[in-house]
Amino acid sequence: MTINEFNFSGKKAIVRVDFNVPLDENGNITDDTRIRGALPTLKKVLADGGALIIMSHMGKPKGKVNPKFSLGQIVDAVSAALGTKVQFAPDCAKAQEAAANLKAGEVLLLENLRFYPEEEGKPVGIDKEDPAYDDAKKAMKASQKEFAKTLASYADCYIMDAFGTAHRKHASTAVIADSFDADHKMLGYLMEKEVQAVDNILSNIKRPFTAIMGGSKVSTKIGIIENLLGKVDNLILCGGMTYTFAKALGGNVGNSICENDKLDIALDVIKKAKENGVNLVLGTDCVAGDAFDNNCNTQICDANNIPEGWEGLDAGPKTRKMFAAAIENAKTILWNGPAGVFEFDNFVGGSKAIADAIAKATANGAFSLIGGGDSVACINKFGMADQVSYISTGGGALLEAIEGKVLPGVAAIKGE
């Protein structure tokens, strides 16, 4: 069943969204991208004459109630976005009455799912090495099923629209789907677009295909890097991982972030890129600072010859030109991870150069997919969200999908 085919009139729909939005110290939302992304699905339910139950997680409360991560903080923002008053259930597992009393056109937001350890289905307070861990894990899985059944009991149908958590087999993202037949569970509009965007990258590649992988560590991206080596024409590796590659090739990286235990992996990536005929683009120069601070002293130096006491904080001018050259002629582009410490305004140059090149390529007909929190934050910071093809709401989910892994949140709906 697709969301377009389903008529929600007289039905109660429970929708898993990803409202894990960033908040400032006063509990105000600093980026509402995820809320805006879910609106088409939520409004479809209401427009049909259905009642809406919204559930999400926020942060990592580790199975305990923590006011810092209460979804009560965003009730007003969700009400404003939907244009209707949103009721709040302060306990997601004890919302039976509130759900039962919900009338057509009304909206109920459940409290943070992760206040219950059953949501993630992981034993709490016991080490994996403990002999009792396996029994604790089985008991928790049983509890997770019951938790999912409780959530399912609130509604007539289930919509999965949280791509950001689709790679997790949690109670609300996958297990809950077992309580609904194929005609009463579906992907939301956001999920449908996300799945289509990944398909465009993996199955409908127009060449040249350029992927940009940034971030601080090679270790967190190695799976996707290796997968992409069999698909891309150009692979740009930037951000902190630059210096692991520079050191692996015999360079001096000063105080730059560097995974000394991953030097062999870096060399292996270089070797595989050559074997696959992939143009591997690594930074040749960088903007180095004498402290991890926006206002530190800076100098431009070779990425493989950074003085002691200095650290690479952004891509240098030569590197930016190399990046642009590999991006501007591409017809398919994937960007995950910034080129520098973009949170500091003095070190956004490399990431801005990437964004500018992607915008130029997109204007010339390329399909560009931006994914991962930092890349999305970059695009939004530069005010360029409307100059790329698609911005993914998922970080880990996007990477796992591109690695070719089955996402439990998608499989639970499609029966894969």
Side-chain angles (χ1 to χ4, degrees), residues 211-261:
I212 306 116
M213 288 287 118
S216 58
K217 296 181 177 180
V218 182
S219 55
T220 59
K221 300 284 175 79
I222 189 60
I224 190 169
I225 288 172
E226 290 182 339
N227 186 263
L228 287 170
L229 285 173
K231 295 182 170 68
V232 300
D233 301 292
N234 304 295
L235 178 60
I236 295 170
L237 298 180
C238 56
M241 71 172 82
T242 299
Y243 310 106
T244 298
F245 280 85
K247 188 163 185 179
L249 291 168
N252 298 312
V253 297
N255 288 2
S256 304
I257 188 169
C258 179
E259 291 181 282
N260 290 311
D261 60 339

Side-chain angles (χ1 to χ4, degrees), residues 13-302:
I14 188 162
V15 187
R16 178 53 157 104
V17 296
D18 182 5
F19 282 178
N20 183 26
V21 292
L23 305 174
D24 65 18
E25 61 275 8
N26 297 315
N28 298 311
I29 297 171
T30 57
D31 184 348
D32 68 348
T33 302
R34 288 173 173 172
I35 292 176
R36 285 185 284 110
L39 290 179
T41 292
L42 303 179
K43 287 184 173 180
K44 156 72 171 164
V45 175
L46 297 176
D48 279 4
L52 187 59
I53 301 163
I54 305 171
M55 57 179 175
S56 178
H57 74 284
M58 179 178 279
K60 296 179 179 179
K62 298 181 179 177
K64 294 178 182 176
V65 175
N66 185 338
K68 180 183 171 186
F69 299 119
S70 174
L71 288 172
Q73 300 171 93
I74 68 168
V75 170
D76 290 345
V78 177
S79 296
L82 279 174
T84 189
K85 183 186 176 187
V86 173
Q87 302 171 41
F88 183 63
D91 188 330
C92 63
K94 295 175 182 174
Q96 290 87 347
E97 188 177 344
N101 292 334
L102 213 57
K103 297 180 179 66
E106 293 185 338
V107 185
L108 176 67
L109 174 65
L110 305 183
E111 180 57 285
N112 194 339
L113 296 159
R114 289 189 185 171
F115 283 178
Y116 281 85
E118 290 86 351
E119 162 64 1
E120 296 183 83
K122 295 176 184 174
V124 176
I126 182 167
D127 193 86
K128 284 185 178 180
E129 306 303 318
D130 192 309
Y133 181 81
D134 286 344
D135 287 339
K137 188 176 180 182
K138 284 179 188 175
M140 178 55 79
K141 288 298 178 187
S143 297
Q144 185 185 49
K145 285 184 180 179
E146 290 307 311
F147 181 64
K149 284 179 182 176
T150 297
L151 297 173
S153 72
Y154 301 157
D156 304 301
C157 54
Y158 167 65
I159 305 172
M160 172 56 178
D161 210 27
F163 186 69
T165 57
H167 59 313
R168 308 292 189 199
K169 193 171 182 179
H170 290 172
S172 67
T173 61
V175 184
I176 188 175
D178 293 341
S179 295
F180 298 91
D181 63 32
D183 292 332
H184 291 83
K185 58 184 174 184
M186 63 212 81
L187 298 178
Y189 289 123
L190 183 62
M191 283 289 293
E192 286 184 343
K193 287 199 297 184
E194 295 278 7
V195 170
Q196 183 58 51
V198 170
D199 193 53
N200 282 341
I201 286 288
L202 293 184
S203 308
N204 188 26
I205 299 171
K206 293 183 175 64
R207 298 193 179 278
F209 178 9
T210 295
I212 306 116
M213 288 287 118
S216 58
K217 296 181 177 180
V218 182
S219 55
T220 59
K221 300 284 175 79
I222 189 60
I224 190 169
I225 288 172
E226 290 182 339
N227 186 263
L228 287 170
L229 285 173
K231 295 182 170 68
V232 300
D233 301 292
N234 304 295
L235 178 60
I236 295 170
L237 298 180
C238 56
M241 71 172 82
T242 299
Y243 310 106
T244 298
F245 280 85
K247 188 163 185 179
L249 291 168
N252 298 312
V253 297
N255 288 2
S256 304
I257 188 169
C258 179
E259 291 181 282
N260 290 311
D261 60 339
K262 299 293 184 290
L263 302 182
D264 55 337
I265 290 177
L267 292 174
D268 193 48
V269 167
I270 293 169
K271 179 170 170 279
K272 285 179 179 175
K274 195 171 184 180
E275 290 171 354
N276 285 303
V278 173
N279 173 34
L280 184 65
V281 184
L282 293 166
T284 57
D285 65 342
C286 70
V287 181
D290 62 356
F292 190 77
D293 186 282
N294 185 51
N295 299 312
C296 65
N297 296 309
T298 63
Q299 64 170 304
I300 308 294
C301 54
D302 291 342

